[in-house]
Amino acid sequence: MTSSHGLAGRREWLGLVVLLLPVLVLSMDMGVLFFAVPFISTSLAPSGTEQLWIMDIYSFLLAGFLITMGALGDRIGRRRLLMIGAAGFAGASLLAAWSGSADQLIAARALLGVAGATVMPSTLALIRNMFHDPRQRQIALGAWGGALTGGATLGPVAGGLMLGHFWWGSAFVIAVPVMALVLLVAPVLLPEYRAPRSGSFDLPGAALSMAAILPLVYGVKTIAIEGWSLLPALAVPAGLLLGLAFLLRQRAAAHPLIDLSLFRIRTFSGAITVNTIAMFAMMGFTLFTSQYLQLVKGMSPLAAALWALVPSVGVGAAVGTGGALAGKVRPAYLMAGGFLIGAVGFAVMTQVGPHSPLALILTGAGVLAAGSVGTMTLTAEMVVSAAPPEQAGAASATSETAVELGSSLGIALLGAAGAAVYRGGLDDALPAGLPAGAARAAQDTLGGAVSVAGQLPGGLGGDLLAVTRSAFTDGLHVAAVVGLLFMVGASVLAYRLLRHLPVPAAHPKQARPEPAAV
């Protein structure tokens, strides 16, 4: 129970554990699915297009519904929305696990995305309600960020272990007992909160937000994976135009989903801006790391996933150190320092070559993750603290939407830059005597080169791998340099935009529990 001077008690800390469970499950999703796709392909025989939708429909709808769900939670109750989402996620997971066709699985994944959109803004907003002391809230948000990052790391490991013993549907069943536990204990440990005098729900605004985000995320992600084509190229400007229409609607609406005046608060807008830049750099580079371990070092997906757990040590250290320093150092200095640490990680990555020791890329990834996750925790605290309590859900959703867009843009643009360098490095460099089909496969991706190398006679396969792996690491270096520059830029922006913020007070006298819903 929250004490009279605003400090959280045992119930709040136990409630935090409950909030972390769905965050962990959601962040594991794509990693688990990555291992399940080959088994799904064998069982359901989806077409190439259907397989892409199985992978992508979840993230599209998750991003598209975030703002809507954040605002809805502010109105109907954040705990209620979280429980609805947990029940929906468990039910959709069961539908996915026992899907009898690709169409059924796509529909189940769509439901998972909608249900997942209730979790992120609800959990962040409830942390805002439960932890009134800034230092305690910083620790709670650090744990939230750790669960988010840890789930993404554990997902491939959990998927590999489950699919090594059970059928492909077990990858989805993992979520069911976790969400059932949330439904069981949330009414006991989590407070309810809904905004007083919230007004009617802005249905036109909700429709415009989804209409803007969905084509934008679809266009950026499709271009990142498949290259330029007409439909995704048109989807991006269409999403931007609809986004402008959404902003105009929010300015005119009597009860908008998100109060645009929040963006005039430097803490709020600055935190979202620098976090989006950081996610652009960090997520844009993640694909290179996993490909390096599997395609350059020749690891199996499960072995690569297990080795990827090593950088999480740096993440844990960063979260703990950041929490300890949060009450002693100005946020601008902490964030600027965190981004510079991330830049050091990128600098290490520029030294990685095809024959580098494994410790080099793991060290770079660990330093990069440590700096990035530390800043993510700080920005989450700034977003939920800067917004009025009654708008915490919508504010958190806005931040999460920006993160999704930053991640998608990073994957698209850094991926495109790396691919261009890779293909350029193969011009006139492929070994003589290479069959035309093998040459085309090698020029498309390093994965294609690895696939055909084993089918080539004599030492031709080894020569092809040497050339293509060298070209891939050249592309990795360019992406690392771009990421380094973005991290340095984010560091400068963090200092300039947030230097007005003082060191958070320890136990502010004005801290009081916020009103519960009735």
Side-chain angles (χ1 to χ4, degrees):
M1 181 172 185
T2 304
S3 66
S4 59
H5 54 282
L7 288 177
R10 183 174 62 179
R11 180 181 175 185
E12 284 76 20
W13 291 110
L14 290 173
L16 175 64
V17 175
V18 177
L19 292 178
L20 298 184
L21 292 175
V23 173
L24 189 69
V25 168
L26 259 69
S27 60
M28 289 173 61
D29 177 85
M30 288 305 294
V32 171
L33 184 64
F34 174 79
F35 274 88
V37 165
F39 299 90
I40 292 170
S41 298
T42 301
S43 178
L44 302 184
S47 66
T49 300
E50 287 173 333
Q51 183 166 304
L52 285 174
W53 278 111
I54 289 170
M55 294 289 292
D56 292 337
I57 190 66
Y58 171 84
S59 59
F60 291 164
L61 291 180
L62 176 70
F65 276 84
L66 276 170
I67 292 177
T68 297
M69 292 303 181
L72 184 62
D74 290 341
R75 285 164 171 78
I76 70 170
R78 292 163 185 168
R79 185 183 68 189
R80 177 183 296 177
L81 183 67
L82 176 62
M83 294 180 66
I84 291 171
F89 201 92
S93 296
L94 292 173
L95 290 175
W98 276 278
S99 293
S101 67
D103 289 341
Q104 290 179 18
L105 183 55
I106 291 170
R109 292 278 296 161
L111 293 174
L112 284 170
V114 176
T118 69
V119 171
M120 294 302 186
S122 296
T123 52
L124 278 174
L126 283 168
I127 288 174
R128 172 70 174 85
N129 300 140
M130 293 162 60
F131 296 91
H132 308 289
D133 176 70
R135 294 187 187 180
Q136 287 191 325
R137 187 163 59 240
Q138 184 70 46
I139 294 171
L141 289 169
W144 186 91
L148 193 64
T149 307
T153 305
L154 290 172
V157 178
L161 293 174
M162 291 293 291
L163 293 166
H165 297 86
F166 306 103
W167 94 113
W168 63 264
S170 64
F172 297 101
V173 176
I174 295 173
V176 177
V178 177
M179 293 303 185
L181 180 61
V182 172
L183 290 171
L184 182 65
V185 299
V188 179
L189 294 175
L190 299 181
E192 182 58 286
Y193 179 89
R194 69 168 65 94
R197 301 180 300 278
S198 56
S200 59
F201 187 72
D202 183 17
L203 286 175
L208 279 172
S209 74
M210 289 182 282
I213 297 297
L214 287 173
L216 189 58
V217 174
Y218 162 76
V220 170
K221 285 199 170 186
T222 303
I223 291 170
I225 297 170
E226 303 177 31
W228 289 92
S229 58
L230 181 60
L231 184 59
L234 292 176
V236 172
L240 292 174
L241 288 174
L242 288 166
L244 178 60
F246 169 72
L247 294 177
L248 294 174
R249 167 66 192 180
Q250 296 308 287
R251 288 184 62 183
H255 303 287
L257 296 180
I258 179 71
D259 185 356
L260 297 184
S261 65
L262 285 174
F263 289 94
R264 292 197 288 269
I265 303 173
R266 287 177 62 189
T267 303
F268 182 84
S269 57
I272 287 180
T273 299
V274 296
N275 199 33
T276 302
I277 294 172
M279 291 302 296
F280 173 94
M282 187 176 74
M283 295 305 297
F285 199 78
T286 300
L287 191 60
F288 287 92
T289 305
S290 61
Q291 287 187 91
Y292 179 87
L293 293 176
Q294 294 181 53
L295 301 177
V296 177
K297 290 301 185 183
M299 295 183 183
S300 68
L302 181 57
L306 289 170
W307 276 109
L309 293 174
V310 174
S312 63
V313 176
V315 172
V319 170
T321 303
L325 293 176
K328 302 175 183 178
V329 182
R330 283 176 176 259
Y333 298 151
L334 280 177
M335 291 191 66
F339 286 127
L340 290 178
I341 291 172
V344 171
F346 275 121
V348 173
M349 295 294 194
T350 64
Q351 305 306 305
V352 172
H355 305 292
S356 296
L358 185 60
L360 186 62
I361 192 167
L362 294 178
T363 299
V367 174
L368 169 60
S372 301
V373 172
T375 56
M376 286 169 56
T377 302
L378 290 167
T379 54
E381 153 69 12
M382 292 176 188
V383 167
V384 299
S385 299
E390 64 272 13
Q391 296 186 43
S396 301
T398 302
S399 176
E400 288 300 314
T401 302
V403 165
E404 286 287 330
L405 291 176
S407 301
S408 299
L409 285 170
I411 293 170
L413 299 182
L414 291 188
V421 173
Y422 172 79
R423 295 187 183 108
L426 294 181
D427 290 344
D428 303 320
L430 291 174
L434 193 66
R440 283 193 299 271
Q443 287 174 328
D444 283 340
T445 62
L446 177 59
V450 171
S451 178
V452 301
Q455 306 169 17
L456 297 175
L460 196 57
D463 294 340
L464 176 63
L465 287 178
V467 170
T468 52
R469 284 171 172 169
S470 177
F472 175 83
T473 54
D474 288 342
L476 181 150
H477 295 160
V478 170
V481 170
V482 174
L484 186 155
L485 294 175
F486 269 85
M487 282 293 187
V488 172
S491 178
V492 173
L493 273 178
Y495 175 75
R496 291 181 61 87
L497 294 176
L498 304 171
R499 59 186 174 182
H500 64 287
L501 293 176
V503 176
H507 309 308
K509 293 182 180 180
Q510 69 271 20
R512 290 289 185 271
E514 288 154 6
V518 293

